Amino acid sequence: MQKEIKKIFLVLGLFALSGGFYYNFLELWMAGNSLSVKTIGIVLSLCALITVSTIFLCSNVIKQRKVKSFCATLLLIKALILITLFLLNNSGLNVLIKFLIMVDYAIDTEIYACIYPMIATIGKNDRTYAKKDLVYSAMYNTGVLLTGFLLGKGIGAFEFNYNFYCLFAGILILISFAILLTVDLEKYYDKETDSNKNNDLLNRLLKKIKKDKISIVYLLFTFNGQISYNCVLSLVVTLLTGALAFSPQEAANLMVFMGVFAVLLGIFVLAKLTFKNNYITLSIKYAVRATLYILAVIFNNKIMFLIALMYPKIISESYSHITDAPYINRFDDEYQLAFCNLREMVNYFGKAIGTLLCGLALGVGVRLNFTLAAIFAVLQATFSFYALKLRNQEASK
């Protein structure tokens, strides 16, 4: 692996570690600032909607050659927001707190969207795409593990709490910002990279996709998958500590277990368990998920709810080199960032809907969460099989 790619992975790792520290207990931090469960669900849903708008704007403004400097700027802004939230804890300025959380969320998503285009500038590869996901998840879950382990402990009069995690996350982001500044991508750009052909790239990509049935079906698969996943897992800490009666510590431990297991399984799958028949892969990842959601609705008990909740989380880091990377790498470097951004727009629009439905359904009963998740999981599985069929037809021509 080239030196510059290693630096980008290091930036990604610190960024993910920061996310594990900050986002793991964000719901409970918000609750500690007198925000209700319904309000938290609405805020997180708005986060995803704002993210869609932010990504659209960035896609039309940021050229390929400016991706690194743009990402560095976002890292710096994110660090300042996290430190400000640390200072605003229990201040009663909840309107400002909610605003900063939404801005941070949008920035966080755009930072992540910039990572693979920077790597792809040096060299794109389906397995490298999968490794990017695994590095992020491994470090994110390391952060989750440490938050659960340190919570309530202290050094002298100092106690590790939800608010300290905001400050520490901000410090990690500052370090990743400093490392990214040392990454040199200039030598990998061709002479025409910064020419006018990059202007209004997202709009030109959309015109291209209108004639690209594979990409349309892939984006529909992504959209429905995000709704399904977030109907259950967007407020997972609230669901575990409320409907399933876990303590915050037990919820954190379960999240750590699922996250670590997901990463280890993802590493094993990437190295040893890629099936020649990709329909088997899709069945394992999506058809089984839909089936478990349906069974959770039918049996309506905590054990089945827990199994149906855990499976999509555990399998989430596996097979992205089959389910996502081939569709992204179909586009050349000119359109790479634009398509990554478009995919993230679709992702977060689906996530916004799923998060909103999750918060509303929890007010009725957890069974409704799994009913909604099951409906969209069936649609996701259907579109995933259809997209693969179209891609196979394209490859055979």
Side-chain angles (χ1 to χ4, degrees):
M1 187 180 295
Q2 297 186 40
K3 180 180 177 181
E4 302 306 319
I5 291 182
K6 289 180 180 178
K7 287 183 181 180
I8 295 172
F9 271 121
L10 181 56
V11 170
L12 175 64
L14 289 170
F15 167 70
L17 182 63
S18 169
F21 266 89
Y22 173 62
Y23 291 114
N24 186 38
F25 286 116
L26 177 59
E27 296 165 38
L28 300 182
W29 185 89
M30 292 169 73
N33 279 274
S34 304
L35 298 177
S36 68
V37 172
K38 182 179 179 180
T39 300
I40 293 170
I42 292 172
V43 168
L44 295 180
S45 177
L46 288 173
C47 284
L49 286 175
I50 291 172
T51 297
V52 173
S53 302
T54 303
I55 293 173
F56 178 80
L57 177 64
C58 294
S59 298
N60 280 284
V61 173
I62 306 304
K63 298 180 180 180
Q64 184 186 355
R65 203 180 198 108
K66 300 295 182 181
V67 172
K68 191 198 96 169
S69 58
F70 175 62
C71 185
T73 301
L74 292 180
L75 284 168
L76 183 58
I77 295 172
K78 179 178 173 67
L80 294 175
I81 289 175
L82 293 177
I83 294 169
T84 302
L85 286 171
F86 166 77
L87 297 173
L88 288 174
N89 185 50
N90 291 326
S91 66
L93 300 173
N94 287 351
V95 173
L96 180 57
I97 286 173
K98 288 184 284 188
F99 173 74
L100 290 176
I101 287 173
M102 288 187 282
V103 173
D104 166 78
Y105 200 93
I107 288 174
D108 188 89
T109 304
E110 187 60 30
I111 291 171
Y112 187 70
C114 288
I115 295 295
Y116 187 66
M118 286 192 290
I119 294 172
T121 297
I122 302 170
K124 59 185 178 181
N125 179 277
D126 289 353
R127 287 184 172 269
T128 300
Y129 182 91
K131 288 176 183 176
K132 179 260 301 180
D133 289 342
L134 289 172
V135 168
Y136 179 87
S137 296
M139 295 304 292
Y140 186 95
N141 286 296
T142 299
V144 171
L145 174 64
L146 290 174
T147 58
F149 176 75
L150 293 173
L151 186 64
K153 295 182 173 61
I155 301 174
F158 176 80
E159 180 182 348
F160 292 101
N161 55 32
Y162 306 147
N163 196 43
F164 166 76
Y165 296 150
C166 289
L167 175 63
F168 189 67
I171 293 171
L172 289 172
I173 293 295
L174 284 175
I175 296 172
S176 66
F177 162 75
I179 294 172
L180 183 57
L181 293 180
T182 70
V183 175
D184 180 15
L185 296 180
E186 287 297 319
K187 58 187 175 184
Y188 297 101
Y189 295 125
D190 59 46
K191 294 180 180 179
E192 297 182 354
T193 294
D194 211 19
S195 68
N196 290 331
K197 72 176 184 177
N198 288 305
N199 291 336
D200 203 24
L201 195 54
L202 183 59
N203 285 331
R204 290 196 286 116
L205 175 67
L206 290 174
K207 292 178 182 179
K208 184 182 179 74
I209 286 178
K210 284 181 181 178
K211 303 176 183 179
D212 183 4
K213 192 173 183 179
I214 294 176
S215 291
I216 292 173
V217 175
Y218 168 70
L219 293 173
L220 286 170
F221 144 70
T222 299
F223 175 69
N224 284 280
Q226 283 296 318
I227 297 177
S228 173
Y229 187 87
N230 286 285
C231 277
V232 173
L233 287 158
S234 61
L235 298 175
V236 63
V237 175
T238 302
L239 190 153
L240 289 171
T241 56
L244 300 184
F246 281 69
S247 70
Q249 189 68 52
E250 289 170 338
N253 290 340
L254 181 60
M255 291 295 290
V256 168
F257 167 76
M258 291 191 294
V260 171
F261 192 90
V263 172
L264 294 176
L265 180 61
I267 293 171
F268 175 73
V269 162
L270 186 62
K272 302 290 184 181
L273 200 62
T274 299
F275 297 100
K276 291 183 178 180
N277 186 337
N278 288 334
Y279 287 105
I280 296 176
T281 300
L282 297 182
S283 297
I284 291 172
K285 188 156 185 175
Y286 302 119
V288 172
R289 176 193 294 185
T291 302
L292 288 174
Y293 285 158
I294 293 169
L295 291 175
V297 175
I298 293 172
F299 287 101
N300 191 29
N301 62 63
K302 290 183 178 180
I303 294 177
M304 198 64 229
F305 288 151
L306 190 59
I307 293 172
L309 179 153
M310 291 176 66
Y311 184 82
K313 184 69 176 177
I314 287 172
I315 201 72
S316 63
E317 304 305 326
S318 299
Y319 298 116
S320 63
H321 61 299
I322 302 297
T323 61
D324 293 296
Y327 300 97
I328 292 170
N329 284 333
R330 288 176 69 241
F331 293 89
D332 58 27
D333 290 344
E334 180 188 0
Y335 290 102
Q336 189 96 70
L337 177 60
F339 189 74
C340 284
N341 275 324
L342 177 61
R343 176 180 176 271
E344 292 304 315
M345 287 169 61
V346 172
N347 264 340
Y348 280 88
F349 187 52
K351 186 170 185 175
I353 295 172
T355 301
L356 180 61
L357 291 175
C358 183
L360 295 174
L362 279 174
V364 177
V366 69
R367 190 180 191 183
L368 180 57
N369 290 78
F370 284 96
T371 301
L372 295 170
I375 293 170
F376 289 102
V378 170
L379 290 172
Q380 177 193 27
T382 302
F383 283 120
S384 71
F385 286 122
Y386 189 32
L388 177 59
K389 177 183 177 181
L390 293 174
R391 189 160 60 83
N392 287 341
Q393 290 174 349
E394 179 185 66
S396 65
K397 292 181 180 178

